[in-house]
């Protein structure tokens, strides 16, 4: 049930691809812990670590969107917030038992991430000029 890294997820911008790969690794770690029924504290730490990294990644993307004046940034930022809010409301107790909640959460992590990169992040990278992604 882990997210497979495929070329479909590559956007061709090194810094962003690298962050996405890191995030996929962290989400897969979380998925693995949910599936193994990891003890609560380790799981809580993994959620917090993933959320912190996601926030860092979102801030980086959002800064690039501001700088480029990307036309769909409001909608894009809304998707980032939705993800952060949902992860913030995870209930470790409920997720660590084979439950509908755990299954829905696994599906959410997988779908959100893959769809967001393939659709929203790709649209952003394709619309704005490559210069936006060049380091200063
Ligand atoms: Fe992204
Ligand atoms: Fe994004």
């Amino acid at each position: 049930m882990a997210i497979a890294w495929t070329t479909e997820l590559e956007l061709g911008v090194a810094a962003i691809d690298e962050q996405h790969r890191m995030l996929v690794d962290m989400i897969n770690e979380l998925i693995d812990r949910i599936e193994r029924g990891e003890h609560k504290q380790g799981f809580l730490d993994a959620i917090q670590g993933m959320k912190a990294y996601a926030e860092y990644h979102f801030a980086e993307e959002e800064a690039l969107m501001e700088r480029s004046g990307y036309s769909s940034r409001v909608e894009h930022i809304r998707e980032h917030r939705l993800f952060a809010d949902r992860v913030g409301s995870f209930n470790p107790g409920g997720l660590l038992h084979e439950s509908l909640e755990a299954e829905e959460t696994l599906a959410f992590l997988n779908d959100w991430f893959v769809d967001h990169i393939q659709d929203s992040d790709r649209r952003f990278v394709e619309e704005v000029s490559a210069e936006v992604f060049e380091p200063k």
Side-chain angles (χ1 to χ4, degrees):
M1 184 96 185
I3 301 173
W5 185 269
T6 65
T7 49
E8 309 248 296
L9 293 173
E10 305 250 354
L11 301 181
V13 175
I16 290 186
D17 284 337
E18 210 172 283
Q19 291 173 12
H20 285 162
R21 258 180 194 278
M22 179 73 175
L23 216 38
V24 163
D25 284 348
M26 293 178 98
I27 290 176
N28 282 340
E29 170 73 28
L30 209 55
I31 289 174
D32 188 49
R33 282 173 193 254
I34 292 176
E35 287 175 343
R36 272 187 297 146
E38 180 80 28
H39 68 93
K40 205 166 165 178
Q41 192 54 52
F43 182 62
L44 210 56
D45 291 347
I47 292 177
Q48 239 117 58
M50 190 277 280
K51 184 165 186 281
Y53 192 80
E55 295 280 16
Y56 157 75
H57 168 64
F58 293 160
E60 292 279 299
E61 264 185 18
E62 289 167 18
L64 291 168
M65 284 178 203
E66 283 301 320
R67 205 196 300 165
S68 63
Y70 176 52
S71 64
S72 301
R73 63 186 184 278
V74 172
E75 294 82 354
H76 196 119
I77 291 170
R78 200 176 297 138
E79 288 184 29
H80 287 170
R81 295 283 73 80
L82 183 93
F83 182 81
D85 288 351
R86 177 78 186 262
V87 173
S89 71
F90 280 178
N91 162 27
L95 291 180
L96 288 176
H97 305 288
E98 281 180 38
S99 63
L100 190 61
E101 192 182 345
E103 242 165 76
E104 282 173 358
T105 301
L106 291 172
F108 166 77
L109 285 170
N110 203 311
D111 294 349
W112 187 93
F113 203 75
V114 171
D115 289 351
H116 185 81
I117 293 181
Q118 281 181 354
D119 298 338
S120 305
D121 285 349
R122 185 175 297 282
R123 218 176 313 138
F124 166 54
V125 167
E126 284 176 356
E127 187 183 302
V128 305
S129 147
E131 285 151 39
V132 171
F133 302 109
E134 304 268 312
K136 274 179 265 170

